[in-house]
Amino acid sequence: MSLQKTTPEGFRALWPSHLSGIVKIALVFIAVLGIVECTEKKVKTAEDFVSVSPDGQFMLHGEPYRYIGANYWYGALLGAPNKGDRARLEADLDSLKSQGLTNLRILVGAEGGDVHRTSHVEPSLQTSPGIYDADMLAGLDFLLAELEKRDMRAVLYLTNSWEWSGGYGQYLEWAGKGPAPIPAEIGYQAYCDSATRFFDTPEALAMYADHVGKIVGRTNSITGEPYSESTAIMSWQICNEPRPFSERNKKAMAAWLTSTSDLIRSLDPNHLISTGSEGKYGCQADIDEWVDIHSYKNIDYATIHIWPANWGWVTDSTLISDMPLAKMLTDEYVREHAKALADAKVVKPLVLEEFGYPRDGREFSPDSPATARAEYYSHVFDIFREADSPLAGVNFWGWTNTALPPHTVWMPGDPYTADPAQEPQGLYSVFPGEMDFRSITADR
C-alpha cells in the first residue's frame, strides 16, 4: 500500500518539510524489514525435508521420524476448486492431524477421459496424453498448500498398475494397444497378459516419463513454489503396486523403476523416492528381485503391502476365526522382507504403506461391526511399536471420515471413500470412532 495514494494532498501539505525525508526513510526501513521477515519465513533447510540417515532411519527436523499414517488416495480430487470439495478436504485434514495421523499416501491423479468406465474414478487429471485438467492440477496445488499449513507429509504416487485410476492400461490404450482392460470383465489372467505389455511398449513408457516431468517439475499456483521445495511432500512414488505381470518382464520392470528414479532425482533433489511395491508379491513372488530394486541408489526406502483377505489368507467366513493365521502370516511377511534387506546389507527404512482388513462378515455399511479389523490393525500397530521393530512407518487403508457412500458401487457424484471405484464402497473404509488413533499415535 502506498502512502502517497492514501494520504490526501491537504494533509501532506501540513507535514513539516524536515520530517518528509525521515518519514520516507522510516517507511523504507519498515518495508525492508517486512521483506526480510517474509524471506526468512520461506527459507527452508535440508532438515525440513524427510531424509534417510546413514544408519537407515527417516529423519525430520534433525530427529528420527517414525509415523503411523493413512491412505487417503482421493485427497487431490477434493482439492479441486470446481469439481472437488475443499471444505471436506480441510475438515478431513484437521481430523487426521488431531489424531496424530500426519503422513498420508495419496494419488497424484487419474489418467483417462471421463467416459464413465466401470471401475474408474473421476474426474481424471490427465485426460489425454500430455493434456491436463486445470481444475485437477489446482486441486493438487491446494492439497499440498493445506498439508504445508498443518506440517503434514504426503507420499504421492504418480500412476497405478491397476485399472481404477487408468495406469498401465490407459497408457497402453493411448499407445494404440486397444481399450484399457478391466479385470472384472476379462478375468485376472487376461488382465495380467494385457498389462504386462506396458513394459514392451516404448510409446507408453515415454508418455509416462513425460507425465513424471510435468508433475515433479510443476510450480504450485497457490504457494508460488516449485513442488521440489514443498515440505508437504515426503516422497515421490513411481507407481501404486508396480507389477511386471509376467516372468518375462521382471527385469524390464526393475529397469523402469530405476530409470524413473533417476529421472525424478534429476528434477527434484530434495524429496525421497519410493517404488510403491507390495513386496515379493509385486515381483512374481521373487523376493530377491524386490531386494535388488530397493538396493538401487535413488530408491530411498523399501515398501510392502499386506492384504490378508485379498491374498486368500482368510475368507469372508473366517475373518474372525482365522485371525491368528492372519497375524502369523503378517508377522512372517514383515520379517521376511526385513531380513532380506539385512542379508543383502541394504540399510534403508522399511514401510508397510498399505494394509487392510474387511468389516465383519464383509459388510459395507458404517453401521456394521468392524471388530476383526480393529484387532488386526492393532496387531500391525503393535509390530510397529516394538522396541526392535523392523518398520519405520505404517499407513493403514484407508481414511473415509464422515463421507457416507450412497451406493455399494461407486457412481460419479458420490462422495469419495477409501474404496476406489473397483471396490464395494465401505468395504475397507475406516469411519470415525472405529479406532482410537489418538492413543495409538501418542506413544509411538
Side-chain angles (χ1 to χ4, degrees), residues 17-83:
S17 59
H18 68 278
L19 291 181
S20 299
I22 296 173
V23 170
K24 289 178 181 178
I25 291 171
L27 289 173
V28 170
F29 182 70
I30 291 169
V32 169
L33 283 178
I35 292 171
V36 170
E37 182 180 358
C38 290
T39 302
E40 287 178 348
K41 288 180 180 177
K42 291 183 179 179
V43 170
K44 296 171 183 176
T45 69
E47 290 191 347
D48 294 316
F49 301 93
V50 182
S51 62
V52 176
S53 66
D55 63 350
Q57 292 189 82
F58 287 130
M59 300 294 292
L60 180 62
H61 302 314
E63 300 289 338
Y65 175 60
R66 300 182 76 247
Y67 61 86
I68 292 174
N71 278 268
Y72 185 63
W73 66 266
Y74 52 85
L77 280 77
L78 291 181
N82 299 306
K83 300 175 183 178

Side-chain angles (χ1 to χ4, degrees), residues 259-312:
S259 65
T260 302
S261 73
D262 291 342
L263 172 60
I264 295 172
R265 183 71 78 223
S266 72
L267 297 167
D268 181 354
N270 291 325
H271 294 114
L272 302 179
I273 301 169
S274 54
T275 63
S277 174
E278 301 152 89
K280 69 178 182 181
Y281 291 150
C283 295
Q284 299 296 110
D286 185 345
I287 197 167
D288 293 332
E289 184 74 12
W290 176 82
V291 170
D292 287 345
I293 291 166
H294 290 92
S295 66
Y296 189 67
K297 62 179 181 179
N298 283 331
I299 303 296
D300 294 301
Y301 62 97
T303 65
I304 57 173
H305 301 179
I306 298 179
W307 290 93
N310 294 7
W311 292 354

Side-chain angles (χ1 to χ4, degrees), residues 48-310:
D48 294 316
F49 301 93
V50 182
S51 62
V52 176
S53 66
D55 63 350
Q57 292 189 82
F58 287 130
M59 300 294 292
L60 180 62
H61 302 314
E63 300 289 338
Y65 175 60
R66 300 182 76 247
Y67 61 86
I68 292 174
N71 278 268
Y72 185 63
W73 66 266
Y74 52 85
L77 280 77
L78 291 181
N82 299 306
K83 300 175 183 178
D85 186 343
R86 288 184 168 181
R88 179 188 166 189
L89 174 61
E90 292 175 292
D92 282 359
L93 295 182
D94 287 341
S95 177
L96 288 159
K97 172 84 172 183
S98 72
Q99 297 176 84
L101 302 170
T102 58
N103 185 290
L104 307 178
R105 187 167 172 268
I106 299 170
L107 172 71
V108 162
E111 299 101 348
D114 297 332
V115 293
H116 308 307
R117 289 178 180 162
T118 303
S119 303
H120 192 285
V121 301
E122 299 179 19
S124 290
L125 170 66
Q126 188 179 186
T127 56
S128 57
I131 305 300
Y132 292 80
D133 184 321
D135 207 53
M136 295 294 102
L137 285 173
L140 185 58
D141 291 346
F142 184 80
L143 167 71
L144 292 175
E146 292 300 307
L147 289 171
E148 279 204 36
K149 287 180 184 177
R150 295 165 175 80
D151 196 27
M152 298 172 74
R153 300 295 183 279
V155 174
L156 297 175
Y157 47 99
L158 291 155
T159 193
N160 202 343
S161 72
W162 303 109
E163 80 283 6
W164 58 267
S165 66
Y168 288 9
Q170 185 58 65
Y171 284 114
L172 285 167
E173 181 178 306
W174 285 338
K177 300 299 182 180
I182 299 173
E185 295 180 358
I186 65 174
Y188 179 71
Q189 188 55 53
Y191 180 82
C192 294
D193 294 342
S194 176
T196 193
R197 298 177 300 160
F198 179 70
F199 302 103
D200 301 326
T201 308
E203 299 89 346
L205 296 172
M207 284 185 279
Y208 168 77
D210 289 344
H211 171 63
V212 171
K214 174 79 172 185
I215 297 301
V216 178
R218 181 172 171 76
T219 294
N220 192 311
S221 62
I222 295 173
T223 66
E225 289 185 331
Y227 277 10
S228 61
E229 296 178 14
S230 172
T231 56
I233 300 172
M234 168 179 156
S235 170
W236 292 110
Q237 193 157 93
I238 297 168
C239 183
N240 174 57
E241 298 192 338
R243 287 191 176 193
F245 289 112
S246 69
E247 282 292 322
R248 79 171 192 273
N249 275 329
K250 281 197 306 186
K251 295 301 180 185
M253 184 188 75
W256 172 66
L257 290 171
T258 55
S259 65
T260 302
S261 73
D262 291 342
L263 172 60
I264 295 172
R265 183 71 78 223
S266 72
L267 297 167
D268 181 354
N270 291 325
H271 294 114
L272 302 179
I273 301 169
S274 54
T275 63
S277 174
E278 301 152 89
K280 69 178 182 181
Y281 291 150
C283 295
Q284 299 296 110
D286 185 345
I287 197 167
D288 293 332
E289 184 74 12
W290 176 82
V291 170
D292 287 345
I293 291 166
H294 290 92
S295 66
Y296 189 67
K297 62 179 181 179
N298 283 331
I299 303 296
D300 294 301
Y301 62 97
T303 65
I304 57 173
H305 301 179
I306 298 179
W307 290 93
N310 294 7

Side-chain angles (χ1 to χ4, degrees), residues 8-9 12 95 120-121 209 221 237 250 282 302 315-316 325 360 372 380 401 416 420:
E9 288 294 327
R12 278 206 315 275
S95 177
H120 192 285
V121 301
S221 62
Q237 193 157 93
K250 281 197 306 186
T315 66
D316 293 351
L325 176 64
D360 295 358
V380 173
N401 204 10
Y416 301 111

